[in-house]
Structure formats: C-alpha cells, structure tokens
Amino acid sequence: MRAKVLVLVLGVVALCAPGAAQAAPPPDIEQRIGALVAQMTLAEKLGQLQQLDGLADGTARPEHARLVRRGRLGSTLNVRGAAATNALQRVAVEQSRLKIPHLFAFDVVHGYRTIFPVPLGEAASWDPPGAEDAARIAAREATAAGVRWTFAPMADIARDPRWGRVVEGAGEDPYLGSAFAAARTRGFQGEDPSAADRMLATAKHWAGYGAAEAGRDYNDVDLSERELREVYLPPFKAARDAGAGSFMTAFNTLNGVPATGNPYLLRSILRDEWGFDGVVVSDYTAVLELIKHGMAADEVDAARIALMAGTDVEMVSRTFNEHGQALLRAGAITVARIDEALGNVLRAKYRAGLFARPYVDPARERRELLRPAHRRAARRAAARSMVLLRNEDGALPLRRTLGRVAVVGPLARARKSLMGTWWGDGRPQDVTSVLEGVRRAVSSGTEVTSADGCTVPCHNTRGFGAAVAAARAADATVVVVGESYDLSGEAASRSSLDLPGRQLDLVKAIARTGKPYVVVLMNGRPLTVEWLARNAPGLLEAWFGGTEGGPAVADVLFGRVNPGGKLPITFPRSVGQIPIHYDARPTGRPFDKANKYTSKYLDSPNTPLYRFGHGLSYTTFALSNLRLGATTIAPTGSVTASVTVRNTGRRTGDEVVQLYVRDRVASVSQPLRRLRDFRRVTLRPGQSRRLTFSLEPEDLAIFDADVKPVVEPGRFVITAATDSRGGLRAGLTVAAG
Ligand code: GLC
C-alpha cells in the first residue's frame, strides 16, 4: 500500500516519507509568482491573504466585487455556482489592476450536489478506493460549479464520541484514518489539481482538534508529544504525502497554544519537518479568536501572532488587512513573511489552474450535477458503508414479497438528515428517504405503511399508538431511529450518547407487539444502545447515507446488497467508559476477574458494546493458515504475512481482513494491537482467497522514549482478524541490528 524510504541513521532507524507526492510546481510558476509579487502594493498583498464568506445561497456579497476590483480580496468561501463565480471572477480577471484570479472555496466534505455517506460512514466501508472515487465525483460536480478549493478531508482522529465532529473523520485509528485522508486527497486533487474537474484539498483541522477535553467542541487540547505523533498526526502526514494543497488551522489550543498561532505546528512540523509548501488557511474567525483564547491582547496582536506563526490566509475576520500596514511599519511583522504567505496563496492559485482557466462553463454545471452515474455511486457507497451490528435467527434480510411492511420511526421519512452535517450544495428534494427506498424495493404485491411514532429528539409518546398499530398489522416492521443531522457535526457535542428523547421507548413499544421488527440506526456517532444490542432481532448501522441513503438501506434490508462494513470507531456501553479505543496499552494490572486489584470498573465491564472492526454479514467467513514469509528479520527488513479467507456461508459477501501488530516488549509500553493493513474482499459461497500483506519497517516501528520512530529488536505478534478482538496469530522476531 505504501512505499517509504528507510534512512538508517546512527543505528537508529529514522523513517521519513519521501518529500513529495505533492506535484512540485513547474519552475516557471515560482518565477511568475516572483514577478507578480514584485508588482504588488502592500494593500494588494494583504488583500490576497483575506478570505470572506459568501451568502448561504452561494451568492457573493456586494462588498466582494468592490474589494476584488481593488485587489483587496483573494478568496471567498461558500460562493458557488457557475453564474456567481464567473461574475466575481470577471471582476478579478478583467477589472482589477493585476488581474489575479479569485479562488473559490467551499466545504465539499462528502459530496457537492450528490451527497455521499458522511465520512465516518464512508470509513466503515474500509474501502479507500471507494472514498477516492466519491471525492473524485464531488470534485467533478464542485468544479463544474466554480469551486476550486475544498475544505476537506477532515483528518482528525476522534476517540470521544461525545464530540459531534467525529462524524466528519475516519474514526479512532491512525492507520485507517491515514488511508482515508490520503484517498480523499487523491480523489479531490487527482494527479494534477489544475485539471478542470479537480480541486485543491485541505487537510483539517491542524491539529489535535478531535482530542477536545470532555468531548466538548472547541475545548482545550492537551496531548503528549507521543500521543500527538502516534495518534493525531499520521492522517495529516498521509494527506500531505498525498499532495494536499492546503492545511486549515484548528480552533483549539494544543498544549496551551492556539493552533492558529502555534509555530510548533505551523512552522516546525508542517514546514520544516514535513516540507509542506502549500497554503495554510485559518478556520472561521480563528485569528480573531486568539483574543478570546487570551493569547492576543487585541486585533492588532492577533494579526501579528497568527501571521508570524505561519497562518497565511485569514478566514472571515479581517485583522491582517486592517492592521497589516501598521504592524509592518512598527516592525512587528516582516515583508518577508507577508511575501511568503502571498507566495503560498499565488502558488495555490496556479496549482488550482486558475491562471490558465479562471472561468467555468455553465453548460458543464448543468450536465454534471446529480448525474445518474453519481447517484449510482452514492447508493453503492452508502450500502458499502453500512454495518450489520446484530442479526439474530436470520431476522435480516427481509423478504421482498412480504404482505405488509411497516416503516416507522422519526427518521423513516427523513431527507435532510440523510445528508448529514456537511450537505454541501445538496438539496433535500433530491434525497430519497428510507420509507421511499423501501417502497421501491418491495414487490408490487407488498403493502408499505408508515408512522413516525415521534420526532427527534422526541419527548412525548402521542405518536406511539399509530406506530404500534402499524407494527401490529404488519408482517415485519423497520424502525428507523437515531440522530437528526443537527445533533451531529460542529458545535453538536452531546453529554449522553443514548438515542435522543423517547426513541428507545418507541422501539420497546414495537417490540412488545411480538411481531417481527428490525432497527435501522441513522446517526453520526457511536450510540450507547445496549438495549438494542441485546434485544433487536436485526440492528443495522446506516449512518447518514446521503442522497441515495434510503434506497441503500432498502438494498441491505432486502438483501440486494450483503452488508460488509466494519466499525471504524468503538461503540461504548456508556459514556462513563470514554475514552475507549481498541489500541489500548495493557497496563501493569490488566483486568483479571479473579483479582480485585486489576484495571476495571465496579459497575461495568471494560469491554465496549461493539468493537472497532466489528461488522456481520448475511454469510459467514473463516480465516486459516496465517504464514509469515520469515520468522526472523533485521530491523530494516520487511516480511510478508499471508492468510486465507473463505466464504463458509451460502451467499456472496464481503469480508474485511485486518492485520494487527504488537511489539511484545519495547522501550515504551505498546498497545495490545495496532492496525497495520487491511483488505476488503468479495467472495462467493465456498470461495477462498489467499491474501498477502507486506509489513514494512514503519509498520513495526514504535516511537521510543524520545518519541523518535525506531524498529526495536524483539518479539512481535502478527494477528490476522476480522475485527479487533480475535484472529490468527504468528510470532515474528526482529533480530538485533
Ligand atoms: C467551520 C469548520 C471548518 C470549515 C470552516 C468553513 O467552522 O470548523 O471545518 O471548513 O468553518 O466553513
């Protein structure tokens, strides 16, 4: 999956990725940038560092044209659509003094007009190529609408599901998160982001945002260097190595220093260590927020701190523009730093192809948005993201020829919620609900009834009667519960992970009818659904599935698609277990039920409700014959691990074979297992496939006591499994160097 260069330094193996998957700009771009910078006034330079937001409907504000004409505005977010972007672009390219094209940014996180599953759901597919294709389609649609810079992928690792933005990332694991961050970056940018149907990607939020204390959004983040390097940075490094054209600073502090004014993040790691030469944009008013952080005395101070720390573009707040000249006169900022930031902006505009092709063709926009092929891809992606959590006595799949199916619950008819938290330019009227999807999926002789039962969050049971009556009269009932889109995402932390309101009571009322029922979860985070885990005959995690989420749920419920997703994040039994993640260290007193004095709770098991990597199928699989290419290797060596996976059931289905590594004895205590590779395979009944993985030195490396990557001699355990618990094990020895 990856090729990295191993550099042996003083007997310590220092791992470093090759500088660039980032396409270094052709040499003449740097000359052109230099020539432009030489012509620019200070006001024009500061103008390029300014980004303002358009109106929610995608139109520019009247002020924007005035500023662009005077060279005082370099980019906007939210302005979109061929008409709106061409109009403002004409001002930049035909009416401004230097004719520098304008850069249009937008949050195209999981789709532009055709909305794909939320990223956490997409990660549950364990299918990075699928995510790359979804991002490619999003870029095709977004660039047709004049967008050339997306604020995605969100590369934040999250291990606290109280944090609403867990929905936007790829879950708890750095390896899985890295695979998806790289895939999404490649999908948005392709080999060349200047192509007409590609756009600049942004790795966000730099950095550590997912570790917000108490899971409360925007809250303080305190991470050891080890935790930062082992857990939170890898997906950003993967996005950078995949060529991400920009980074976005996070709202949070990191170890007391706000990310937007943090030279360690913005200069030492990103520029000096990783050699990033793209553009860094602040998050929304994050520069101004340095005052509230108590780091800046006033706006002038905020501008100085952010700019000199390494933030290039100020999103929405205007301190650079308003105070840059005074700061320069006072010697508090330098021309060199302004020109460096300006160079990063102009390079991004060249990389986005803006100088070559500033306008978009409105006819292409009409052709691209919601193309049938995009809808088909979104439906397939949504089905592949779903995780079958429980299926007792073959409750699922349902028969298409049932006499009557009831579809109940507050999310059964949901459209906007299916689009999740970053719905881009998606429109509810283009979305097919679960109810509608079921209606289309069943046979012509099947009657489909529905009843909401309650709202989300639901606080009264007035609608329960109709839902219970529908269930009583049906041959099977589908109960669709979970979170509405606004209970997930930014500024949507929850102190409880229970089903909001009285939804669980609704499910229990349906269960009391004694008639067959299954539950579909529509949510953006792990939920503490222990009663459902024990009682629901069928339990399907459907996340927010996007424009085609309804038909995709029906595809899985009626067996047109056999679910193959796996959880990318642990589902806790209770909030009290948080943080809980599979790659925990063993401690010196691992739980032992025979010994009181071991690591445990008095009132709960240590084990989660559902593990990282968990997911069932309508068929069964077995692993066998794990073999390593060698049992002993040198610290700079690599080794293959081969295992056979077989479909032992009666239906074609997908399995995700996961490869974990444990360094048994190391200079720093290591997790019981760490994901180091995976593969999703489709097998027919009885079919076997032998998979071979390659473990490279960086897969065996740990961060030593100095938080430097090394491969230490000693004994390793390699595990091939279908979730983060069991599996086949093999021993590997790394010989002394
Ligand atoms: C928001 C988010 C960020 C987004 C930006 C622009 O506050 O934190 O992810 O890209 O503002 O919408």
Side-chain angles (χ1 to χ4, degrees):
M1 168 179 267
R2 305 166 302 185
K4 289 192 175 178
V5 171
L6 190 67
V7 176
L8 203 58
V9 175
L10 301 177
V12 170
V13 173
L15 304 175
C16 57
Q22 191 146 27
D28 68 324
I29 283 188
E30 295 310 319
Q31 287 155 7
R32 285 192 230 169
I33 289 172
L36 255 182
V37 170
Q39 301 172 60
M40 295 173 76
T41 65
L42 176 59
E44 289 167 331
K45 293 180 178 182
L46 294 171
Q48 287 298 318
L49 310 187
Q50 179 71 67
Q51 179 176 106
L52 295 176
D53 62 344
L55 297 170
D57 66 0
T59 56
R61 300 171 193 270
E63 175 194 27
H64 295 163
R66 290 197 301 274
L67 290 171
V68 167
R69 188 171 293 110
R70 293 167 50 221
R72 299 293 194 279
L73 180 61
S75 61
T76 44
L77 74 149
N78 297 330
V79 178
R80 60 192 184 277
T85 56
N86 281 341
L88 192 56
Q89 194 64 281
R90 260 190 293 282
V91 175
V93 171
E94 298 170 23
Q95 300 172 27
S96 75
R97 186 173 78 87
L98 292 172
K99 308 194 181 335
I100 297 171
H102 188 80
L103 182 49
F104 296 94
F106 188 45
D107 291 281
V108 184
V109 179
H110 51 101
Y112 177 75
R113 176 63 61 81
T114 306
I115 305 304
F116 282 74
V118 291
L120 187 62
E122 192 177 60
S125 71
W126 291 58
D127 178 15
E132 182 170 343
D133 195 51
R136 177 188 62 79
I137 290 171
R140 278 180 74 105
E141 293 194 351
T143 52
V147 174
R148 309 288 273 271
W149 184 11
T150 180
F151 293 145
M154 192 263 225
D156 299 305
I157 293 294
R159 302 177 148 194
D160 187 334
R162 292 173 294 180
W163 188 54
R165 302 196 76 165
V166 69
V167 68
E168 292 179 54
E172 71 186 45
D173 180 70
Y175 185 88
L176 189 66
S178 299
F180 277 91
R184 288 168 177 153
T185 299
R186 288 193 299 268
F188 290 132
Q189 297 196 160
E191 289 302 313
D192 173 5
S194 71
D197 60 353
R198 301 289 187 165
M199 58 187 175
L200 288 181
T202 306
K204 72 181 186 181
H205 307 77
W206 181 245
Y209 188 24
E213 188 169 281
R216 207 169 73 238
D217 207 355
Y218 316 123
N219 205 4
D220 198 33
V221 170
D222 209 270
L223 292 172
S224 68
E225 183 68 11
R226 175 176 307 288
E227 190 78 351
L228 186 66
R229 295 281 178 172
E230 282 181 354
V231 177
Y232 291 90
L233 293 193
F236 286 94
K237 185 65 169 52
R240 178 257 173 268
D241 291 348
S246 69
F247 270 55
M248 181 186 291
T249 69
F251 287 121
N252 51 278
T253 56
L254 175 64
N255 302 333
V257 181
T260 305
N262 190 318
Y264 179 58
L265 285 174
L266 296 172
R267 180 69 61 190
S268 306
I269 296 178
L270 190 55
R271 304 288 184 184
D272 301 346
E273 194 177 320
W274 290 3
F276 178 67
D277 73 347
V279 64
V280 173
V281 59
S282 78
D283 203 338
Y284 201 100
T285 68
V287 172
L288 194 61
E289 290 167 18
L290 293 177
I291 300 171
K292 286 190 177 145
H293 274 293
M295 186 180 191
D298 53 28
E299 287 194 15
V300 180
D301 214 15
R304 174 186 62 78
I305 291 168
L307 184 66
M308 295 313 287
T311 296
D312 297 323
V313 174
E314 181 174 11
M315 186 192 292
V316 175
S317 54
R318 306 186 189 209
T319 66
F320 288 10
N321 245 318
E322 290 173 359
H323 306 293
Q325 307 218 19
L327 282 165
L328 192 60
R329 280 197 301 275
I333 63 175
T334 63
V335 172
R337 174 60 193 126
I338 292 171
D339 288 355
E340 180 192 47
L342 172 62
N344 293 337
V345 172
L346 296 176
R347 190 173 307 110
K349 293 188 171 184
Y350 275 110
R351 281 180 174 153
L354 278 171
F355 285 91
R357 197 178 38 258
Y359 300 111
V360 288
D361 173 3
R364 187 177 149 233
E365 182 181 38
R366 288 189 296 274
R367 281 197 313 273
E368 286 290 356
L369 304 191
L370 273 179
R371 293 169 70 134
H374 297 176
R375 277 188 177 271
R376 287 194 298 273
R379 178 169 175 170
R380 179 175 185 272
R384 287 172 68 79
S385 74
M386 292 180 198
V387 182
L388 183 59
L389 297 175
R390 176 182 160 94
N391 192 21
E392 296 298 296
D393 307 326
L396 284 170
L398 300 172
R399 284 184 298 108
R400 289 182 58 252
T401 54
L402 286 166
R404 179 179 293 150
V405 175
V407 183
V408 304
L411 293 166
R413 295 186 296 117
R415 288 166 176 245
K416 185 159 177 54
S417 283
L418 265 174
M419 292 196 290
T421 180
W422 283 110
W423 57 83
D425 201 60
R427 303 177 309 188
Q429 62 264 36
D430 297 325
V431 176
T432 304
S433 68
V434 171
L435 172 60
E436 191 50 39
V438 168
R439 284 209 165 102
R440 294 179 194 171
V442 296
S443 66
S444 55
T446 301
E447 183 189 1
V448 178
T449 60
S450 76
D452 291 354
C454 63
T455 57
V456 179
C458 85
H459 299 298
N460 67 65
T461 62
R462 282 196 300 273
F464 281 22
V468 168
R472 196 168 277 126
D475 299 299
T477 297
V478 177
V479 194
V480 188
V481 290
E483 297 175 311
S484 50
Y485 74 94
D486 53 346
L487 291 178
S488 179
E490 184 173 354
S493 296
R494 293 177 60 207
S495 65
S496 160
L497 302 180
D498 294 342
L499 282 173
R502 305 286 298 274
Q503 296 182 87
L504 180 58
D505 293 332
L506 173 64
V507 179
K508 290 179 176 176
I510 301 296
R512 281 194 296 273
T513 66
K515 299 296 289 295
Y517 75 98
V518 295
V519 176
V520 174
L521 293 177
M522 191 183 292
N523 49 300
R525 56 159 52 86
L527 297 176
T528 45
V529 287
E530 187 137 28
W531 190 88
L532 295 181
R534 287 188 180 146
N535 296 282
L539 183 59
L540 178 67
E541 175 55 76
W543 316 103
F544 296 121
T547 304
E548 290 292 324
V553 166
D555 287 341
V556 172
L557 289 178
F558 292 96
R560 181 173 169 277
V561 172
N562 183 354
K566 300 280 184 176
L567 292 180
I569 190 168
T570 301
F571 276 44
R573 295 172 188 277
S574 72
V575 167
Q577 288 185 305
I578 294 171
I580 180 171
H581 46 91
Y582 83 91
D583 57 346
R585 290 186 168 81
T587 80
R589 293 194 172 189
F591 172 62
D592 171 357
K593 65 182 175 186
N595 179 349
K596 168 183 170 64
Y597 300 97
T598 55
S599 182
K600 68 176 182 301
Y601 301 102
L602 293 179
D603 55 357
S604 163
N606 291 355
T607 54
L609 183 63
Y610 290 114
R611 295 177 181 282
F612 174 84
H614 170 73
L616 304 178
S617 169
Y618 294 151
T619 185
T620 51
F621 296 92
L623 297 185
S624 61
N625 196 14
L626 172 62
R627 289 285 177 279
L628 302 184
T631 53
T632 301
I633 59 171
T636 58
S638 57
V639 66
T640 58
S642 300
V643 66
T644 297
V645 54
R646 177 180 165 76
N647 181 339
T648 52
R650 293 198 301 273
R651 289 181 54 110
T652 296
D654 286 14
E655 180 59 282
V656 178
V657 179
Q658 302 151 45
L659 196 71
Y660 294 92
V661 166
R662 181 191 184 192
D663 185 342
R664 290 175 59 91
V665 177
S667 58
V668 173
S669 174
Q670 290 302 302
L672 287 168
R673 59 172 74 192
R674 293 183 302 153
L675 182 71
R676 309 313 291 162
D677 210 336
F678 61 88
R679 204 157 310 153
R680 178 168 177 160
V681 294
T682 302
L683 297 173
R684 295 185 307 280
Q687 186 184 7
S688 295
R689 185 168 306 161
R690 185 131 183 95
L691 303 179
T692 296
F693 300 93
S694 176
L695 287 170
E696 305 298 325
E698 67 264 29
D699 295 314
L700 304 173
I702 65 165
F703 283 97
D704 67 10
D706 300 323
V707 198
K708 297 294 179 226
V710 289
V711 176
E712 293 186 347
R715 296 203 38 229
F716 290 72
V717 177
I718 312 300
T719 303
T722 56
D723 73 11
S724 57
R725 174 178 46 191
L728 304 176
R729 288 180 174 71
L732 174 70
T733 299
V734 172

